[in-house]
Amino acid sequence: MKESGQNHFYNIGVSYKKADAEMRGKFSVSKENQKALLIAAKEKGISAIFIISTCNRTEIFGFANRPCLLIELLCDFSEGTVKEFNTICNIQKDQEAISHLFKIGTGLESQILGDYEIVSQLRHSFKLAKKLKTTNGYIERLVNAVLQASKRVKNDTKLSSGTTSVSYAAVQYIIKNLPDYNSKNILVFGLGKMGKHTCKNLAEYTKNKQVCLINRTEEKAIQFVKEHASIRKAVIENLGEEVANADVLIVSTGAEKPTITREHIANNKEILILDLSMPENVAKEVTDFKGVSLVNVDQLSKITDETLAVRQQEIPFAEEIIETHKEEFNSWLNDRRFTPAIAALKESLELIKKDEINFQKKKIVNFDENQAEILTSRFIQKITTQFVKHLKDEETSVAESIEVIQKVFQS
């Protein structure tokens, strides 16, 4: 459905479904560039827009008369090109874009089914857009509907049952592939949301007491270690020394360029590196060394277990919830299309009522103005209610009906 004029609500983006980790990395948009992109969109006259950029996807939702305007913005503020985008793109319009956002927000589109980390990212994306004044009533209502559906799916279904996320999968990978994992030296580099979850999962699912944490902002690491006494903190200046001492390196630094390169790895060193970042923060050249095993988010997301089997069975229930909230949103959207015409109709009838009461007051002796006011107000209410019912009827041509109302009562 159109917002106004020739503008449509579009979604353009790339995701794990068509793009591998390297290609997604090219189209990843940093936090600073997300702000810059929204500001540039406003300057280009795009009325409402927001962007989500995670390890699994980069998506732009917004109003434009052509999707290429949004694609150009994405390419301007990422490392990807239009040519590359066209080979892996996802472009949807109006109802398809609405459905896509509902699926993203409820975990149905997550690389690991039911992974809800996307919900907080969606909230953050919307808050940023609102702060920069690149939202409108349509987007605000839609995002709220998606978040309501997400809450119900999480609470009323088993779509997020068990613990399955990339950070969980990383710890499970270590458990399954290193028989003596409890005695290994594990270094976690980066304390974003993924790094925090990984540390917590290491504490919950292993008995390893040799976990070291390094973060570029040391204050955050100090606070985290206070709350998790089993984890040791090291300073970033000692990164090389700590990598040399590690058997397992988990990288979740969230930088735009690799933070771990060949220079950090000693020749002939046996080390398992798990890269949870997007774009990838471990340079591929590290695998030139024979002892290095490098695993990225795509490989980790292939881990399946009974938990995912349970989640698959919950998809129909999640889709029912989505349908309910989508119908409510579309009903609001449909009502909004003819609300101005109904308001104008009511205003015209009120003027006719006022003129007629003034006329009858002069003509009729002892005219009861209060009774006339009550009676005519009820007539106006019944007339406008009938028009609303008429416009909501599926057989009705809303555009033609509104045109008639405007011709008759707004001439």
Side-chain angles (χ1 to χ4, degrees), residues 28 30-31 55 166 187-196 198-199 212-217 220 234-236 239 243 249-261 264 273-283 294 297:
S28 181
S30 67
K31 287 180 182 177
C55 62
V166 172
L187 174 61
V188 177
F189 181 29
L191 194 61
K193 184 170 284 188
M194 201 75 80
K196 284 180 182 176
T198 302
C199 287
C212 177
L213 170 65
I214 292 180
N215 191 52
R216 284 175 292 185
T217 308
K220 290 182 181 178
V235 294
I236 195 158
L239 178 62
V243 171
L249 170 61
I250 301 171
V251 182
S252 58
T253 43
E256 292 182 56
K257 302 291 181 186
T259 51
I260 296 294
T261 63
H264 292 100
I273 304 177
L274 306 179
D275 187 358
L276 312 188
S277 310
M278 184 55 57
E280 292 169 300
N281 282 183
V282 179
L294 175 61
V297 288

Side-chain angles (χ1 to χ4, degrees), residues 107-158:
L108 288 179
E109 282 286 316
S110 297
Q111 191 165 18
I112 296 178
L113 180 64
D115 185 348
Y116 272 82
E117 286 181 12
I118 188 71
V119 178
S120 62
Q121 290 155 341
L122 174 58
R123 281 199 185 96
H124 175 79
S125 296
F126 176 70
K127 281 180 183 175
L128 176 63
K130 195 165 185 181
K131 183 180 176 183
L132 295 175
K133 295 182 169 54
T134 64
T135 63
N136 60 6
Y138 181 114
I139 283 179
E140 184 153 1
R141 184 85 179 208
L142 176 58
V143 170
N144 284 335
V146 169
L147 293 174
Q148 286 168 16
S150 178
K151 189 176 181 180
R152 277 193 60 201
V153 168
K154 190 164 188 178
N155 293 339
D156 300 350
T157 76
K158 295 176 183 174

Side-chain angles (χ1 to χ4, degrees), residues 298-363:
D298 284 349
Q299 290 160 290
L300 290 172
S301 297
K302 288 174 183 172
I303 293 176
T304 56
D305 55 18
E306 295 80 13
T307 299
L308 290 180
V310 170
R311 292 182 180 193
Q312 288 281 353
Q313 294 171 5
E314 296 296 303
I315 292 175
F317 303 113
E319 287 175 338
E320 281 180 26
I321 290 170
I322 288 172
E323 204 53 42
T324 301
H325 287 273
K326 200 164 71 172
E327 282 175 9
E328 286 175 5
F329 174 74
N330 281 325
S331 177
W332 170 82
L333 201 57
N334 200 41
D335 287 354
R336 199 175 74 148
R337 291 167 66 210
F338 53 75
T339 296
I342 292 296
L345 167 63
K346 197 166 185 177
E347 189 180 340
S348 297
L349 292 173
E350 288 287 349
L351 287 172
I352 293 169
K353 177 188 85 171
K354 186 179 177 183
D355 289 344
E356 190 60 28
I357 287 176
N358 287 335
F359 175 75
Q360 296 300 337
K361 273 166 64 177
K362 295 171 185 173
K363 192 174 180 184

Side-chain angles (χ1 to χ4, degrees), residues 146-211:
V146 169
L147 293 174
Q148 286 168 16
S150 178
K151 189 176 181 180
R152 277 193 60 201
V153 168
K154 190 164 188 178
N155 293 339
D156 300 350
T157 76
K158 295 176 183 174
L159 192 71
S160 60
S161 63
T163 309
T164 301
S165 64
V166 172
S167 52
Y168 171 79
V171 174
Q172 292 304 306
Y173 186 94
I174 293 168
I175 291 169
K176 288 176 183 176
N177 290 278
L178 296 177
D180 49 351
Y181 60 89
N182 279 326
S183 62
K184 296 293 185 183
N185 291 324
I186 299 177
L187 174 61
V188 177
F189 181 29
L191 194 61
K193 184 170 284 188
M194 201 75 80
K196 284 180 182 176
H197 286 174
T198 302
C199 287
K200 289 173 183 177
N201 284 328
L202 282 167
E204 185 173 347
Y205 296 104
T206 77
K207 294 177 182 177
N208 191 304
K209 302 300 179 188
Q210 297 166 134
V211 177

Side-chain angles (χ1 to χ4, degrees), residues 36-164:
L37 185 150
L38 296 178
I39 292 165
K42 197 157 57 170
E43 289 169 354
K44 288 176 184 285
I46 292 172
S47 62
I49 183 174
F50 69 97
I51 176 172
I52 305 169
S53 190
T54 74
C55 62
N56 292 333
R57 64 182 69 252
T58 297
E59 309 263 4
I60 293 177
F61 290 86
F63 286 96
N65 55 12
R66 302 186 317 280
C68 60
L69 296 176
L70 304 181
I71 296 166
E72 285 167 9
L73 278 169
L74 175 58
C75 294
D76 285 346
F77 291 93
S78 71
E79 300 295 322
T81 66
V82 173
K83 187 177 179 182
E84 287 169 326
F85 179 84
N86 288 336
T87 64
I88 51 162
C89 67
N90 171 51
I91 301 174
Q92 289 158 321
K93 182 171 78 171
D94 298 329
Q95 285 301 313
E96 286 182 356
I98 290 168
S99 295
H100 187 58
L101 185 59
F102 269 102
K103 286 178 181 177
I104 288 174
T106 52
L108 288 179
E109 282 286 316
S110 297
Q111 191 165 18
I112 296 178
L113 180 64
D115 185 348
Y116 272 82
E117 286 181 12
I118 188 71
V119 178
S120 62
Q121 290 155 341
L122 174 58
R123 281 199 185 96
H124 175 79
S125 296
F126 176 70
K127 281 180 183 175
L128 176 63
K130 195 165 185 181
K131 183 180 176 183
L132 295 175
K133 295 182 169 54
T134 64
T135 63
N136 60 6
Y138 181 114
I139 283 179
E140 184 153 1
R141 184 85 179 208
L142 176 58
V143 170
N144 284 335
V146 169
L147 293 174
Q148 286 168 16
S150 178
K151 189 176 181 180
R152 277 193 60 201
V153 168
K154 190 164 188 178
N155 293 339
D156 300 350
T157 76
K158 295 176 183 174
L159 192 71
S160 60
S161 63
T163 309
T164 301

Side-chain angles (χ1 to χ4, degrees), residues 265-271 289-292:
I265 311 296
N267 200 2
N268 299 321
K269 176 177 173 57
E270 292 279 337
I271 186 169
F289 296 119
K290 288 182 180 178
V292 175

